[in-house]
Each structure stands twice: as C-alpha cells, then as structure tokens.
Amino acid sequence: MPSIFKEGTYDQGSYARTGTLSLNGIQIETPIFMPVGTRGSVKSLTSEDINELGYNLILANTYHLYLKPGKEVFDHFHGLKNFMSYKKALLTDSGGFQVFSLASLFKFEDDGVRFQSHIDGSYHKFTPSSVIDMQRSIGSDIMMVLDDCAPYGSDTKRLELALDRTHRWAKESYEYWMENPNGQNVFPIVQGGVNEALRLRSLETLQKIDFPGIAIGGLSVGEPRPEYIRILECMAPHLDKSRPRYLMGVGTVVDILEGVKNGIDMFDCVLPTRNARNGQVFTSKGKINLRNESHRLSESPIDSECSCKVCQTYSLGYIRHLHKVKELTAFSLSTYHNLFFMQSFMEKMRKSIEIGNFQAFYEHWKNLFGS
C-alpha cells in the first residue's frame, strides 16, 4: 500500500520535522492542528468558515455520531462530508476515549465494549469491526481503532491489561480493514500510561503491523506536564519516520511545542474552541480573558498583529460586550479568531523548522504561553 506521508525538513536540534500528508488527493502540510467537530460541526462555525480558515483536515467522533444521528443517516447521505457540506479530509476517533471519559457507562468484554448511551440509557456494543463499519459509513479518511485508554494513575496490572486489549483489537481492526480499504486509512493507538517500558513495547508491537500511520493515546489525561514530556522523549527516537504520528487530544500551545519537538505531526483538541466560547482567546502576546473589565472601552482588536476578519472588523470592547450579555455571536467570533490563531501558529512553526529556527520559535512561544 502506498505511503500517505512524505517527509520534509528536520530540525537539527530535535526530532521536529515538516511533511506532507496525502489523503485522497488532499494535501495537508504537517505539523498540523485539527479542529474538533465532535458531532459533525465545529461548534459555532459553519463548514464555509472552516474552509475559509484553510483547514484541510478536521476531526469528528464515532461514539457521538453513532448515537446521533446514527449509521442509517450516514449511509443515506453517503457520509458525513456530504451531510455537513465539507469537502476536505476527515479523521474520526473510534470511541475508545469515551470509554475512558464516561467510564461508569461502559463495561469491557473480551471482544469489545458494552455501554449505555449517555443520552437515553439504551444499551449498545462496540467491537473492533463494528467501529470500523461505523467509520466506513461516516466516510472518514483516517479511522482510529478501538482501544483501551487506562486512566492516569493506573497500576501496572491495569496498564498491561489495556495493552493486551489494545494490541489484540488493533490486529483485528487491521485485518478487517484490509478486507475493504476503500481509500480509507486506519491508525492504531499506542498506550502504556506513563510507564516507559510499556510505551515502548506498545509502540514496537503496533509499528510491526503495516498501518498507514501511528497514533499516541493516553496522554494529556491528567498527568503532570513533566510526565507527559518524559513519555514523548522516550518514544521520539523509536517513531517510524515513514509514517505520520498523531498525538490524540493535545492542543495547548505548550503541549504542541513539546509534541513537535519530539517528532509529532498531528494534533487535535477541543481547547481552542471551548476556551473561545468561555471568553479566552489566544494572541501574539499570550492569552486574553475577553470578559475582563479592562477591555470595556477598548477600541483595539483582539490582536493588533492578527489578520483574521474578526480582528480586522470588531473591537475588543464590542466582543467583550457580546460575551457579557451572552450573545451567540460572541461564540462564533471568538472561535473563528482562535482557530485562525492556531492555523497561523502551526504555519509559523512549519516555517521555523524549514529555515532552521525552531529552537528560537519554541522558546518564544513557550515563554508566552507557559503559565
């Protein structure tokens, strides 16, 4: 099977690299941040907004889309892209993380996970093949395998059990996917908590299978940042250069910097969009709380160095007012700005690697957003 990833430039002082991800004719420059459209929509934005922002790859969630609107709808509309009028590339999570985050509703079984819907309490079951079938209906360009994400603080026995399930299900998923690849790609998910030996075992096991890419799960789930960095550093020298590496659920500026430094190509997180709806925006000077009284009479934009249409049109004072009175427009304007910032930030990072200036870039942004 042809590779979906082409390496670009490597940073001399770290594992940071650029590259190009090719998904069914769509070219995506890496490192990349993916906005999260959990239920088939990036909250408060339209598909036209996402296109205008220049995002060629977004994420949606299999668990939520399975419950609503359901597989029948996606089969009828021939996939999520047609349903939401989005024409670029799509990645879907398998629902494995929801097993972690909604643990009280889930029960592990040998061949999958039985669970209750958080919406109506109805009973359902995910297996390695059923989540592939669901993602086939969704029509994602990158599908994730069903995995077991052990909570932070799990003992070695629980981590070993998670690895056994994750590896067994990954092999089942690969074999089932290979029966009908249909232009879609599947990534396995490396687990192992903050145990270096288990992480390396998981990475080695999964990289032996001919998946098109590799994902890293179970980080940014409550562990202290030094632990997060330690695990990234232990894996970095062992990551296969020929495949794209995806760090799941990571989206703070500092965590992305650490990820890229250690060879990660792809990131996703709800944080930029969720924070925007809660009145926090990212700027070239750091984070700003839009609801602060000090902005009440400000005629300046959110960020004087930002060229997004929000900063070119609206004052900080006006956007603060919208948040204070809970106008829906506050959500869309703040979200648009934050996603523009993330797109611009990743573009500048790629440029810094290309021109050999990544270390200075890393220090600058880590100092701004390190708190």
Side-chain angles (χ1 to χ4, degrees):
M1 188 163 293
S3 174
I4 61 170
F5 184 76
K6 182 180 179 182
E7 286 183 286
T9 308
Y10 266 86
D11 173 55
Q12 294 302 306
S14 71
Y15 291 96
R17 67 176 185 173
T18 62
T20 305
L21 189 59
S22 299
L23 299 172
N24 295 310
I26 298 165
Q27 305 297 306
I28 298 123
E29 300 302 311
T30 63
I32 184 177
F33 173 80
M34 298 175 281
V36 177
T38 301
R39 296 175 175 86
S41 167
V42 176
K43 282 184 170 52
S44 82
L45 298 185
T46 65
S47 294
E48 291 90 340
D49 289 329
I50 298 303
N51 190 53
E52 187 175 276
L53 283 160
Y55 282 99
N56 290 339
L57 178 59
I58 65 171
L59 179 142
N61 184 268
T62 299
Y63 166 82
H64 290 286
L65 294 176
Y66 165 81
L67 291 176
K68 284 189 181 230
K71 190 174 185 296
E72 181 185 1
V73 170
F74 294 115
D75 289 339
H76 174 80
F77 279 93
H78 303 289
L80 175 59
K81 293 187 198 180
N82 285 334
F83 191 43
M84 66 180 289
S85 299
Y86 169 77
K87 306 304 180 190
K88 299 297 177 64
L90 178 68
L91 181 151
T92 40
D93 190 2
S94 66
F97 184 77
Q98 278 63 46
V99 177
F100 163 83
S101 61
L102 302 171
S104 62
L105 301 174
F106 286 79
K107 181 185 177 185
F108 282 106
E109 298 180 352
D110 282 346
D111 61 342
V113 185
R114 189 169 299 281
F115 63 95
Q116 272 186 281
S117 163
H118 71 284
I119 299 170
D120 60 11
S122 57
Y123 285 89
H124 305 267
K125 185 168 183 177
F126 276 169
T127 66
S129 57
S130 76
V131 297
I132 294 289
D133 282 337
M134 183 62 203
Q135 291 176 94
R136 282 173 171 159
S137 293
I138 292 170
S140 36
D141 298 279
I142 297 176
M143 307 184 282
M144 307 307 296
V145 302
L146 187 65
D147 68 323
D148 178 0
C149 176
Y152 173 66
S154 295
D155 60 21
T156 303
K157 183 179 178 182
R158 174 67 179 90
L159 293 173
E160 293 264 12
L161 182 61
L163 251 59
D164 176 66
R165 282 194 188 111
T166 295
H167 296 167
R168 183 159 41 86
W169 291 349
K171 289 169 186 171
E172 289 177 28
S173 300
Y174 178 81
E175 290 165 4
Y176 188 69
W177 165 66
M178 283 298 288
E179 293 174 11
N180 179 26
N182 196 32
Q184 294 175 286
N185 300 280
V186 175
F187 287 15
I189 304 172
V190 176
Q191 292 291 351
V194 291
N195 183 309
E196 292 184 22
L198 295 184
R199 279 286 175 182
L200 293 177
R201 186 204 302 175
S202 187
L203 182 62
E204 181 183 14
T205 301
L206 295 174
Q207 286 188 157
K208 284 179 179 175
I209 308 172
D210 194 24
F211 285 102
I214 195 90
I216 298 164
L219 287 178
S220 199
V221 292
E223 76 281 356
R225 184 166 281 138
E227 297 278 86
Y228 164 85
I229 294 171
R230 177 173 60 80
I231 294 302
L232 287 177
E233 288 177 345
C234 97
M235 288 190 291
H238 305 282
L239 293 168
D240 180 5
K241 291 185 176 183
S242 67
R243 288 185 260 198
R245 303 93 169 243
Y246 165 35
L247 183 55
M248 305 180 73
V250 169
T252 71
V253 166
V254 174
D255 285 347
I256 289 175
L257 288 168
E258 298 295 351
V260 170
K261 185 179 179 182
N262 287 287
I264 302 300
D265 304 302
M266 304 164 63
F267 303 85
D268 82 280
C269 193
V270 298
L271 187 136
T273 48
R274 178 182 290 164
N275 284 24
R277 297 193 305 276
N278 289 321
Q280 186 190 75
V281 286
F282 309 147
T283 79
S284 59
K285 302 292 191 294
K287 292 174 274 195
I288 288 180
N289 183 346
L290 293 171
R291 294 173 179 156
N292 282 356
E293 177 71 16
S294 60
H295 304 314
R296 190 168 69 91
L297 300 178
S298 175
E299 298 176 23
S300 302
I302 290 173
D303 185 354
S304 59
E305 295 183 24
C306 179
S307 59
C308 82
K309 66 182 182 183
V310 178
C311 288
Q312 297 301 305
T313 309
Y314 301 103
S315 70
L316 192 48
Y318 175 65
I319 297 173
R320 175 191 177 274
H321 159 71
L322 296 178
H323 275 280
K324 292 297 284 185
V325 298
K326 296 181 171 55
E327 277 291 341
L328 297 182
T329 317
F331 298 163
S332 57
L333 293 180
S334 304
T335 301
Y336 190 98
H337 167 82
N338 269 5
L339 287 185
F340 187 96
F341 170 90
M342 293 302 296
Q343 182 79 313
S344 176
F345 171 69
M346 300 306 290
E347 188 178 333
K348 289 171 185 172
M349 188 183 310
R350 292 192 295 269
K351 187 69 175 175
S352 77
I353 297 169
E354 288 169 2
I355 66 174
N357 194 41
F358 174 73
Q359 191 57 40
F361 180 93
Y362 169 92
E363 296 292 348
H364 171 77
W365 288 99
K366 189 173 181 181
N367 287 338
L368 269 180
F369 282 83
S371 58

